[in-house]
Amino acid sequence: MNQVGRATLELLDLPVEILIYILSHLDGYELAQARQVCHNIRHMIDSSSELLYSIDLKYFNSISFPSPGPDRTASSLRKSLRQSEFAWQKAEYFKHNPISIPDIRREAFMWSGGILAFKVQNENRLRFFQPQVTNSDHSNSTSLREWGCQLDSEIQFSTFSPTQNLLIFLVRASPGESHAYDLIFRLLSEPDKVHPEAGSAAVKTLDKDDFELLDPPDVSFSIFGHYCGILFSDAFMVDVVLQIWNWKSQDTSLCFKPAHEVMDFSFLTNEIILVVNSEELLLYSLVDFPDALHLTAKFSLPALRTPFEYEMVRIKDSVSSHSHMHNHIITINMKIFGDDLTNEPCVTLYVERNALLKLQSTYTRRYGKASDSSPSLPWSEWGLKYTRSFREYSYDSCKHVVSGLRAVSLFGSQIQHPVPRPLCIRDFNPHRVADFKAGNGIRWNQRLIEGESCSSADLFLESLGHGLPYIETITEEKFLGLKLIAEGNKVMLLSFDFVGRLRSPAQAGGPHFVANEVVDQSIETLNFE
């Protein structure tokens, strides 16, 4: 009896097109592992621009923007991504001509996504400025787009999200209403128009009873995806009201009055909120929104020595860059107060968003379901390993500006007189750090920082975090800046020129003194491409 031999079809017997299609369903980490299986698969991956681009996106902590298409191939996008990353590593940038802007008060402006906005003093009017490169082929020619908007109601607060073309106003409600404020949703590019995705043109916020309790409230905003939130608090941040809206859905909101003080909050994802107070970080889940917020984890801040205390704790989160990053750094700015201090030092903690999300399961395994009365995970069990700390003698708006896993600061301190300072670039990407340790990649003008921690024994009872190693690069050029932002492949500085003017004494018979007066402000753009 004739036997028919059975043919065995192995993976590599499939057509190349089918194999590449199968491989295209792997993410960047899985593709990097697949390259190690055998020579044939490695050659197949290395011959595909799309697969190599997917690996690079994971390695550099990026999400494809724009997506590959007829006008932008995966090969060209990969080339641009690698060129930009190498420019950051070498601190090589192209400078565009500075653009002069009107003189504005330092505390009166907002800056996000390359757009500068400020409220005109004594008017219910906002002005917007956006530097634009007129020739993208490494030309230093720039122009300034300028627009504005006027409201009939008194503007209490405003914020915007360039990624969603969203502008939000908080204005006084009309007399006789039972609520204190209206929240208005407009197009950022055309502020006179209601945002087409908004569920309502305006929503009511803060009952009159709560308003009288806070009288008047401090306000902080956060926007992420289809959520926006406002934290209303009194001067001592003891009585607080947190309101959250799905601004794309009509009449969908949640009002939360926590049992503890709240100093600040921020959206980590579409489902998780980070809240801070003077003792701990807290994570809340939005899975049952708008019915309830659920506390999921609590993490202690480092304990201070007596008589010091946290005067202010703020979250500085690069929300506008979330859509382009797999992970990102969150900074926690902690201002410390005490009778024995000659100044008010500021300590900044860096922590990865993904680390906080993973630590939720650590908390649950240890303590079970979180509640207001449950303990916090001690600082020694999370802070030392997962954070990095920096200390300054005062708050500096040109420090700890984060985009993804990269942070940009003006190096050194500027306490009294403005001085030009170099740009300090810190890269916390673990893949870059591992390659640097192995002796791979660019090493020019770079150094690896690990295992070190800022001096803290005079303030803290516990050691500060040193768990995030990073690669530091410092530019040769120095800058004089009031504020900076870093997004994508650009750094933008609000720079200024000043002159010293002789001032009369405050009291009769006192000495005359020289005061620095800003005479010109401009926006300077550094392009890392």
Side-chain angles (χ1 to χ4, degrees), residues 88 92-101 111 113-116 129-136 138-145 408 423 477 479-481 483-496 521-529:
W88 279 107
E92 291 183 349
Y93 49 85
F94 181 80
K95 289 179 63 175
H96 300 286
N97 288 335
I99 299 178
S100 295
I101 60 172
W111 203 357
I115 297 175
L116 182 73
F129 300 95
Q130 183 179 28
Q132 296 180 318
V133 179
T134 56
N135 185 348
S136 59
H138 278 193
S139 167
N140 63 357
S141 178
T142 53
S143 61
L144 186 68
R145 182 188 173 215
V408 179
L423 202 65
E477 186 175 7
F479 305 90
L480 197 61
K483 193 175 179 68
L484 64 83
I485 60 172
E487 293 181 347
N489 58 6
K490 292 183 176 64
V491 171
M492 301 179 70
L493 295 104
L494 182 60
S495 56
F496 63 96
Q521 293 188 64
S522 60
I523 299 177
E524 194 169 3
T525 304
L526 312 180
N527 204 330
F528 291 79
E529 288 186 339

Side-chain angles (χ1 to χ4, degrees), residues 320-383:
S320 59
S321 67
H322 287 181
S323 58
H324 306 314
M325 304 292 174
H326 292 286
N327 189 14
H328 67 275
I329 294 288
I330 297 167
T331 61
I332 311 294
N333 300 118
M334 306 182 301
K335 189 177 180 182
I336 299 170
F337 171 79
D339 293 337
D340 297 336
L341 294 174
T342 55
N343 52 49
E344 295 184 345
C346 183
V347 174
T348 301
L349 302 181
Y350 283 46
V351 60
E352 291 183 17
R353 179 200 63 177
N354 289 0
L356 284 177
L357 297 177
K358 291 177 181 177
L359 282 166
Q360 289 181 105
S361 59
T362 302
Y363 184 91
T364 303
R365 287 194 302 268
R366 171 70 67 86
Y367 301 112
K369 185 177 180 181
S371 67
D372 289 334
S373 60
S374 62
S376 300
L377 189 67
W379 170 259
S380 59
E381 297 187 26
W382 80 276

Side-chain angles (χ1 to χ4, degrees), residues 135-209:
N135 185 348
S136 59
D137 189 19
H138 278 193
S139 167
N140 63 357
S141 178
T142 53
S143 61
L144 186 68
R145 182 188 173 215
E146 181 177 352
W147 70 103
C149 65
Q150 177 86 37
L151 291 184
D152 295 330
S153 304
E154 180 184 355
I155 301 174
Q156 300 296 307
F157 199 87
S158 60
T159 188
F160 59 93
S161 171
T163 57
Q164 302 187 83
N165 195 19
L166 174 65
L167 173 63
I168 300 179
F169 293 105
L170 184 70
V171 302
R172 288 275 191 180
S174 301
E177 295 285 351
S178 61
H179 62 287
Y181 299 107
D182 290 317
L183 203 61
I184 299 173
F185 304 101
R186 297 286 182 86
L187 277 172
L188 175 60
S189 57
E190 300 177 85
D192 293 333
K193 296 182 179 179
V194 175
H195 197 291
E197 296 182 43
S200 302
V203 295
K204 302 174 182 179
T205 179
L206 196 64
D207 292 339
K208 280 287 180 65
D209 292 341

Side-chain angles (χ1 to χ4, degrees), residues 451-522:
E452 298 179 8
S453 183
C454 64
S455 176
S456 61
D458 59 326
L459 296 175
F460 293 91
L461 292 171
E462 302 175 277
S463 298
L464 294 184
H466 52 267
L468 289 176
Y470 61 92
I471 301 168
E472 183 179 83
T473 310
I474 298 177
T475 64
E476 295 181 359
E477 186 175 7
K478 297 181 179 180
F479 305 90
L480 197 61
L482 290 171
K483 193 175 179 68
L484 64 83
I485 60 172
E487 293 181 347
N489 58 6
K490 292 183 176 64
V491 171
M492 301 179 70
L493 295 104
L494 182 60
S495 56
F496 63 96
D497 289 326
F498 67 93
V499 295
R501 299 193 186 280
L502 189 64
R503 300 297 188 189
S504 300
Q507 296 179 350
H512 286 69
F513 62 97
V514 175
N516 295 317
E517 180 179 319
V518 175
V519 294
D520 180 58
Q521 293 188 64
S522 60

Side-chain angles (χ1 to χ4, degrees), residues 64-318:
S64 184
F65 183 81
S67 300
D71 299 329
R72 301 292 299 271
T73 64
S75 178
S76 64
L77 290 172
R78 179 175 183 245
K79 181 180 178 181
S80 297
L81 173 64
R82 294 175 73 87
Q83 285 178 341
S84 177
E85 288 296 329
F86 293 150
W88 279 107
Q89 293 170 30
K90 294 184 291 185
E92 291 183 349
Y93 49 85
F94 181 80
K95 289 179 63 175
H96 300 286
N97 288 335
I99 299 178
S100 295
I101 60 172
D103 182 27
I104 56 178
R105 293 178 293 119
R106 186 180 304 193
E107 70 278 5
F109 66 86
M110 303 166 288
W111 203 357
S112 179
I115 297 175
L116 182 73
F118 70 94
K119 182 178 179 295
V120 179
Q121 195 168 6
N122 301 322
E123 296 184 39
N124 293 316
R125 185 162 63 96
L126 288 182
R127 295 181 67 184
F128 299 90
F129 300 95
Q130 183 179 28
Q132 296 180 318
V133 179
T134 56
N135 185 348
S136 59
D137 189 19
H138 278 193
S139 167
N140 63 357
S141 178
T142 53
S143 61
L144 186 68
R145 182 188 173 215
E146 181 177 352
W147 70 103
C149 65
Q150 177 86 37
L151 291 184
D152 295 330
S153 304
E154 180 184 355
I155 301 174
Q156 300 296 307
F157 199 87
S158 60
T159 188
F160 59 93
S161 171
T163 57
Q164 302 187 83
N165 195 19
L166 174 65
L167 173 63
I168 300 179
F169 293 105
L170 184 70
V171 302
R172 288 275 191 180
S174 301
E177 295 285 351
S178 61
H179 62 287
Y181 299 107
D182 290 317
L183 203 61
I184 299 173
F185 304 101
R186 297 286 182 86
L187 277 172
L188 175 60
S189 57
E190 300 177 85
D192 293 333
K193 296 182 179 179
V194 175
H195 197 291
E197 296 182 43
S200 302
V203 295
K204 302 174 182 179
T205 179
L206 196 64
D207 292 339
K208 280 287 180 65
D209 292 341
D210 291 327
F211 173 77
E212 292 173 358
L213 177 67
L214 301 175
D215 191 28
D218 290 328
V219 177
S220 59
F221 262 95
S222 184
I223 305 172
F224 189 96
H226 52 270
Y227 286 116
C228 76
I230 307 180
L231 178 67
F232 299 98
S233 62
D234 65 2
F236 302 101
M237 299 188 179
V238 175
D239 293 312
V240 297
V241 176
L242 175 60
Q243 287 195 265
I244 301 171
W245 292 266
N246 180 344
W247 64 274
K248 294 185 178 182
S249 178
Q250 188 171 11
D251 298 326
T252 307
S253 65
L254 179 150
C255 183
F256 177 59
K257 299 178 182 180
H260 46 74
E261 67 168 352
V262 173
M263 289 187 170
D264 204 3
F265 82 106
S266 180
F267 293 100
L268 295 190
T269 70
N270 264 325
E271 295 183 347
I272 300 293
I273 294 177
L274 172 64
V275 171
V276 298
N277 58 40
S278 60
E279 296 180 350
E280 57 199 356
L281 310 182
L282 305 98
L283 297 184
Y284 286 89
S285 171
L286 280 164
V287 291
D288 288 332
F289 179 88
D291 297 324
L293 280 180
H294 298 294
L295 182 63
T296 62
K298 303 163 71 175
F299 310 107
S300 292
L301 293 174
L304 290 164
R305 293 185 179 277
T306 305
F308 306 128
E309 59 186 50
Y310 292 115
E311 180 181 7
M312 185 66 66
V313 182
R314 293 293 192 192
I315 304 168
K316 194 174 181 182
D317 193 5
S318 54

